[in-house]
Amino acid sequence: MTSENTSVTAAGGILQTALWNAQKTAERLKLSEDVTRRIIEPVEQIRTVIHPQVPNGEMLHARVYVVRHNDVLGPSKGGIRMTDSVNLNEVTGLAMEMTWKTALIGVPFGGGKSGIRYDTSKLKPTEKEILVRAFTRGMRRHIGPEIYVPAPDMGTNEIDMGHMRDCISYSSGTSITAGCFVTGKPVVLGGIVGRREATGQGVVATVAAACKRLNRPIAKLRAAVQGFGNVGAVAAQSMIQQGATVVAVSDITGGVLHEDGLDISMLIEHVKATGGVKGFRGGKAVSFDDVLEADCDLLIPAAGGSAITDENAGRIKADMIAEGANAPLTPAADEILNDRKVFIIPDILCNAGGVFVSYLEYTQETQRDQITRAEVEKRLTERMTTTFEDVHDRSLRMKESMRHAAMDIGVQRVVDGIISRGLLP
Ligand code: GLU
């Protein structure tokens, strides 16, 4: 990223949103131009192409990216996004978000992200494995426990992380890797129990903490969930466990609504059997947008970025938003919803449960320890709750939004890290 494209506007994609939020935070914290530049510009951006051959003799051509945004507080950490549209700007914006997220949730990591540009729906499992292994080999120099530690993100999962781990240990002729090269692995390969559920459960832990502070019984909440993948489906299930009602759910195939509440376990079975929400008989079929605009108290956007813009923000009925996705609101939408006093739990706080449990996986593997599910869940809930409370305290003290308070704390920690390290190499 050059200094030319750091000029930002209130509309636009994930990079624009990340830059906008970072620059506004630098202004609030009165950071010097030098420090602002140092925290905003990514440390390293790698872009290349891979052309692995698949069994039918064809070659898969994929653009791939690794961005290490910052490593002041530790190795860069962040997932691998695999979609047909991911690009360097998106990966850079997401990597920047990871820098503030890891700092805010208090784990010794910096921020990073990767992208593999490919339409996963066009891939057979073997082909995806070949692509993931080609990415791992191609980017091997940029991955490692002291450099950048990938994890799942949109389009990737624990199966892919297992293949990455195997590719790395196989290349060095060893059974295991020396330290943790990737998190979100299958448990049998050194993954941690509860990592898959961690982001969704963490989202609901912040909702529970918000309800406590705002004196609202969580069990009375009616929620709508956009996105029914790893984050949305688990968040919906956790809301039900808290006694709440989930009235609407959508994914790329469509949406479903039931004013008295959807049976989420049945919906999960339906998605397993058919591949999507569409066609679920336990509710009325509605559009993707109808779910965002459903009559509810809590909206959990848990799909792609920029789902809520200045165009549809005015139609959102929920008065609480928990950002399960990264950057689901454009800055313009954020402003509209703030003016309407909607309580927004920002992404870098709300969905930080995933990277927090990734940190537990990293330490478990480094120490060759075994952490139980009960311990993972206890530590996750505790960390999400105390971080929520710190952010809420600051937002009350400074009379600022939860997003501003979260960014202030995260960015200040990175600045403190720079100062503590000192200026000399
Ligand atoms: N992809 C997830 C995120 O955006 C998790 C990253 C990780 O565990 O490293 O936070």
Side-chain angles (χ1 to χ4, degrees):
M1 185 173 61
T2 61
S3 48
E4 284 83 9
N5 63 7
T6 54
S7 67
V8 295
T9 61
I14 287 175
L15 179 59
Q16 288 294 315
T17 301
L19 285 169
W20 173 271
N21 287 332
Q23 286 189 355
K24 294 286 157 199
T25 310
E27 285 164 25
R28 281 195 306 281
L29 296 177
K30 299 191 177 39
L31 302 181
S32 71
E33 248 179 64
D34 286 340
V35 171
T36 305
R37 185 163 180 184
R38 173 131 188 227
I39 59 159
I40 285 184
E41 290 210 12
V43 170
E44 195 172 20
Q45 291 172 296
I46 299 116
R47 171 180 31 193
T48 185
V49 268
I50 51 176
H51 312 275
Q53 196 174 32
V54 287
N56 70 7
E58 269 175 33
M59 273 182 174
L60 306 177
H61 307 281
R63 293 183 190 285
V64 296
Y65 314 92
V66 170
V67 176
R68 295 198 307 113
H69 174 255
N70 196 284
D71 58 1
V72 165
L73 300 179
S76 302
K77 188 82 189 79
I80 306 172
R81 183 160 288 199
M82 193 161 172
T83 64
D84 58 356
S85 59
V86 69
N87 55 50
L88 187 60
N89 276 354
E90 182 177 345
V91 176
T92 303
L94 290 165
M96 192 183 304
E97 279 232 334
M98 288 307 301
T99 299
W100 322 133
K101 192 188 296 187
T102 50
L104 175 67
I105 206 70
V107 292
F109 286 140
K113 207 88 181 189
S114 319
I116 303 177
R117 189 176 173 124
Y118 212 92
D119 182 355
T120 49
S121 69
K122 296 212 164 79
L123 290 171
K124 297 193 186 90
T126 333
E127 292 169 346
K128 193 176 186 206
E129 176 174 348
I130 288 169
L131 205 49
V132 167
R133 285 181 186 272
F135 166 82
T136 310
R137 280 196 308 277
M139 290 298 186
R140 174 66 189 83
R141 282 179 297 139
H142 309 287
I143 297 171
E146 291 155 358
I147 310 168
Y148 164 56
V149 185
D153 195 78
M154 272 169 74
T156 56
N157 56 31
E158 63 178 43
I159 298 171
D160 305 315
M161 301 307 114
H163 295 147
M164 288 189 70
R165 182 220 168 279
D166 178 69
C167 182
I168 291 166
S169 68
Y170 182 83
S171 311
S172 60
T174 55
S175 162
I176 58 166
T177 57
C180 181
F181 279 66
V182 52
T183 62
K185 300 180 291 294
V187 172
V188 73
L189 291 181
I192 193 161
V193 282
R195 171 63 186 84
R196 195 186 62 76
E197 299 85 357
T199 311
Q201 284 177 353
V203 167
V204 175
T206 63
V207 172
C211 286
K212 222 170 180 180
R213 283 288 176 99
L214 302 173
N215 270 326
R216 289 177 77 164
I218 190 167
K220 288 235 171 89
L221 290 188
R222 292 159 52 80
V225 184
Q226 183 212 28
F228 205 62
N230 193 23
V231 183
V234 176
Q237 262 177 324
S238 295
M239 284 303 293
I240 302 280
Q241 273 159 14
Q242 296 279 348
T245 311
V246 178
V247 292
V249 165
S250 66
D251 68 5
I252 42 165
T253 65
V256 57
L257 186 142
H258 195 312
E259 273 149 29
D260 300 331
L262 293 162
D263 184 329
I264 295 298
S265 308
M266 271 175 63
L267 182 56
I268 288 174
E269 289 310 314
H270 172 83
V271 171
K272 264 190 205 150
T274 66
V277 163
K278 193 179 168 188
F280 181 58
R281 296 249 177 90
K284 190 169 87 191
V286 292
S287 75
F288 200 65
D289 290 344
D290 290 338
V291 171
L292 277 181
E293 297 162 21
D295 192 5
C296 62
D297 309 298
L298 168 71
L299 175 63
I300 306 181
S306 309
I308 306 172
T309 64
D310 50 348
E311 196 278 311
N312 58 0
R315 296 195 297 276
I316 303 278
K317 298 196 186 62
D319 62 4
M320 194 191 282
I321 296 180
E323 295 186 339
N326 291 315
L329 271 58
T330 62
D334 196 37
E335 206 176 305
I336 294 170
L337 292 161
N338 266 311
D339 287 348
R340 284 180 37 202
K341 305 268 174 293
V342 174
F343 188 86
I344 301 170
I345 310 174
D347 50 3
I348 59 167
L349 166 64
C350 191
N351 70 37
V355 77
F356 177 70
V357 175
S358 274
Y359 174 64
L360 300 183
E361 180 172 338
Y362 182 91
T363 57
Q364 171 181 268
E365 191 160 359
T366 309
Q367 297 166 22
R368 308 214 56 75
D369 193 2
Q370 289 179 331
I371 307 181
T372 62
R373 182 179 289 276
E375 194 179 343
V376 169
E377 286 180 356
K378 181 169 173 282
R379 288 178 69 174
L380 171 67
T381 310
E382 265 171 24
R383 184 63 65 97
M384 297 307 292
T385 309
T386 53
T387 309
F388 176 91
E389 288 170 356
D390 290 348
V391 173
H392 191 238
D393 286 345
R394 184 180 170 98
S395 87
L396 294 178
R397 200 171 61 243
M398 304 300 288
K399 298 193 177 29
E400 61 184 5
S401 69
M402 288 289 286
R403 185 180 322 278
H404 288 182
M407 283 294 289
D408 289 355
I409 296 173
V411 171
Q412 187 62 54
R413 284 194 183 142
V414 177
V415 173
D416 291 348
I418 292 173
I419 295 166
S420 310
R421 276 180 176 244
L423 295 178
L424 295 175

